[in-house]
Amino acid sequence: MGKERQRVRPSALERLRAEIGAADRFITWVTWGCAAGMVLWSMLNATPYVRAHVAKGWEDTAFVLPLVVDAAFVGALRADEIASRHGVKAGPWPVLLRLFTGASSVFLNIGHSAEKGDVTGVLQHLVAPGLLVLLAEAGPAWRRNLAAKLTAAERAAELEEDRQAERARQEAERARRQRQEDEDRQAEKDREEQERQRLERLQDEARTRRQRQEDEQRAAELEETRETARAARALEARRLDLEEKRLTATVPPPPAAPVRAMPAAMPAAAPGVTAGQSQITHGTSAHVAPRVAAPQPTAPRPVPAAVAASHPAPGRVTARVDEDQEQPPTAPKPPAGPVKDWELPGLPTDVRPGVAPIMLTDEQSHIRIRYGLDQGWSQRRIGEFAGRSATTVNKVAKGATSSV
């Protein structure tokens, strides 16, 4: 089944135009019909009247006068019809033309009956031209009124269209403003979202940077702890090595020489107490032995039995030795290896020369760090000298620079 066509309902203006057009056509048809009948009737009635009053020999031209009068009357009707359609008024001349042509047609139609005194004939011949004259006056009036009505309706329709156009324009403007406001709000939301994301990104970066700094600081502290533990282990290993070398050092036996016993043996010095001077007779002169400080007692490491058996402890004696046979005691050799910075000669007393870094306090370590910086040493060397990591050395260097 096909779709039924939907009829569009015509508007009021279109219906008015259609009705006015139909009325105009009807008025035109009635006017021209009456005009045709009147012309025919007028020629039939007026021609004999004119023929009776025309000069002899001109009787055949009697139809011309009624024809001319009716033609002029019809022309006036047509011109007035056209003018009335457009609402135009041409002034008094068209009215005068219609009245004169109408009166002439009436005269030619009733003249014959009027001469005879036939009242009925006069009235009878007055009907057709009278109807045409009245129709000629009524038709333009109707057309002008209908044209005015149509013009008013069209003007009202135009005003309504203008109002609708203005309303549509206002609606479009309102919709445009609403759309612009929505776009502005959306753009503002987008900017706020971008700003929020940027702030979150900056916070994440700051958090990551802080975490990295904390990790680096933690790693530096761990490295410093490891360096301190490594230095302590190295110092302990060196101390144990020196102690083992001291305990296992070989003491050479005294050379064979005549020994003269002293009248009385001097008592042995207590540990940690300076031994008294012993007089050694060398030839005829007596020499006084220098006072030496006894080493502090330390917890000796256990010595193997074989080493103890092969190195018996010599007894403390006072002997007179010949000059040619006197030999100085053999001193233990220093341990092999490079000399440490804290064992260098010429160090100031505030840096605690001869003291291993593990035995230093924080203040003493900082003093050693500043001393190393003044000497222009590398951070690694200063760290070993002070028993601290390179990070601590760098911090002390920065603090010294900022204070300057």
Side-chain angles (χ1 to χ4, degrees), residues 259-266 278-281 317-320:
V259 180
R260 187 177 57 185
M262 297 297 295
M266 296 181 64
S278 59
Q279 185 177 3
I280 303 175
T281 303
V317 296
T318 302
R320 185 166 177 257

Side-chain angles (χ1 to χ4, degrees), residues 73-397:
F73 187 64
V74 170
L77 290 177
R78 178 61 179 167
D80 191 65
E81 176 186 355
I82 295 173
S84 63
R85 280 200 181 99
H86 298 282
V88 177
K89 292 183 179 181
W93 294 106
V95 177
L96 184 60
L97 177 61
R98 289 196 306 272
L99 292 177
F100 182 75
T101 54
S104 300
S105 179
V106 170
F107 171 74
L108 292 176
N109 279 278
I110 67 172
H112 185 68
S113 298
E115 289 180 351
K116 293 180 179 180
D118 187 2
V119 179
T120 303
V122 170
L123 296 176
Q124 183 179 2
H125 291 89
L126 184 63
V127 173
L131 287 175
L132 187 58
V133 171
L134 294 176
L135 187 59
E137 293 297 329
W142 287 337
R143 289 191 179 93
R144 280 193 294 271
N145 292 333
L146 293 175
K149 179 66 175 177
L150 181 60
T151 302
E154 289 178 348
R155 187 176 295 110
E158 290 178 358
L159 292 176
E160 183 64 25
E161 289 179 358
D162 293 341
R163 284 195 296 269
Q164 291 180 358
E166 181 65 19
R167 192 180 302 111
R169 188 186 64 80
Q170 293 177 358
E171 290 293 334
E173 182 66 19
R174 190 180 300 107
R176 187 189 63 80
R177 288 198 300 268
Q178 184 66 29
R179 185 170 59 253
Q180 185 66 31
E181 292 176 358
D182 294 341
E183 292 177 357
D184 293 342
R185 283 195 296 270
Q186 186 63 33
E188 184 66 23
K189 289 181 180 179
D190 294 341
R191 285 193 297 270
E192 292 177 357
E193 182 66 21
Q194 292 177 0
E195 183 67 17
R196 186 183 63 79
Q197 293 178 358
R198 188 182 68 83
L199 293 177
E200 289 180 356
R201 186 168 59 254
L202 292 178
Q203 292 176 358
D204 293 340
E205 291 177 357
R207 192 181 303 109
T208 304
R209 188 162 51 252
R210 288 196 303 270
Q211 184 66 30
R212 185 167 58 251
Q213 292 176 356
E214 291 176 358
D215 294 342
E216 292 177 355
Q217 184 177 1
R218 194 178 301 109
E221 293 176 354
L222 181 60
E223 183 65 22
E224 182 179 357
T225 304
R226 290 176 179 174
E227 288 290 337
T228 304
R230 191 179 300 112
R233 288 195 299 271
L235 179 62
E236 182 66 18
R238 181 175 176 78
R239 187 185 66 79
L240 294 176
D241 185 54
L242 291 175
E243 183 69 17
E244 183 178 357
K245 288 182 178 180
R246 186 182 66 81
L247 293 176
T248 59
T250 303
V251 180
V259 180
R260 187 177 57 185
M262 297 297 295
M266 296 181 64
V273 181
T274 303
Q277 293 181 351
S278 59
Q279 185 177 3
I280 303 175
T281 303
H282 183 201
T284 58
S285 62
H287 296 275
V288 178
R291 297 176 180 270
V292 294
Q296 297 293 332
T298 57
R301 294 179 61 184
V303 181
V307 176
S310 61
H311 299 83
R316 188 178 185 87
V317 296
T318 302
R320 185 166 177 257
V321 185
D322 292 339
E323 184 177 359
D324 55 351
Q325 293 180 354
E326 182 179 0
Q327 295 293 334
T330 303
K333 295 183 180 181
V339 178
K340 300 296 182 180
D341 288 332
W342 57 83
E343 297 176 353
L344 293 175
L347 293 176
T349 57
D350 56 352
V351 299
R352 308 280 294 173
V355 179
I358 195 172
M359 306 298 294
L360 300 176
T361 63
D362 292 339
E363 181 63 27
Q364 294 170 353
S365 298
H366 290 175
I367 293 174
R368 282 196 178 185
I369 290 173
R370 286 193 289 270
Y371 176 79
L373 292 174
D374 294 338
Q375 298 299 320
W377 293 352
S378 64
Q379 291 186 358
R380 183 179 182 84
R381 182 178 179 184
I382 296 173
E384 294 179 354
F385 179 59
R388 294 294 184 269
S389 65
T391 305
T392 305
V393 175
N394 190 19
K395 290 181 180 179
V396 175

